[in-house]
Amino acid sequence: SSTMSSTSPEQDPLDPGEVVLDRYRVVENIASGGHSVVYRGQDERLSRPVCIKVFSRLPTEAGISKASYQHFVQEAFALSRLTHPNTLRIYDFGHISVERDDKKGEVPFQVCEYMNGGTLANVVRDLGPQPASETLRIVGAVCDALGEAHGLGIVHRDIKPQNILFAEVGKA
């Protein structure tokens, strides 16, 4: 369990070196946006990189809808039902205690596989438009993964280049 103190909603909920669920060590903040902060972490038990995504706002804060909080929690449970090879694997889920502006609360976090190949947005930014064959491969993979989700009644609601992740096999 971890605790954070801050006066700003943009403050990171976790600091490098902190450990959650007695096994996932925070290495560095790699992204933030919406209502969450994403960290690269290390599963100390299995010696593998992980991604730790934390809902970064107290559910009682102004401007935080109950729906956005519930959506974050539902995302973890939806991911746990999916088995398609092109779908992100979730490893764990929990809550951390946070304190902000003299208010205390619990915020959820999820631990999932760390995708070391960046995002589609990064690929296009760095390498430019992709050839038709690569575009078809990527779209096909996304459609296959979404097909499984839709078959289970799960709708993604946020398909965009920043949310299409890649892994480089054989690289940590």
Side-chain angles (χ1 to χ4, degrees), residues 145-160:
L146 289 173
E148 180 196 27
H150 292 174
L152 293 171
I154 298 167
V155 178
H156 189 287
R157 301 186 338 172
D158 197 19
I159 301 298
K160 59 187 179 184

Side-chain angles (χ1 to χ4, degrees), residues 23 42 47 63 68 78 129 133 151 160 162 165:
R23 75 183 281 184
Q42 180 73 12
S47 296
S68 63
S133 60
K160 59 187 179 184
Q162 296 87 337
L165 309 172

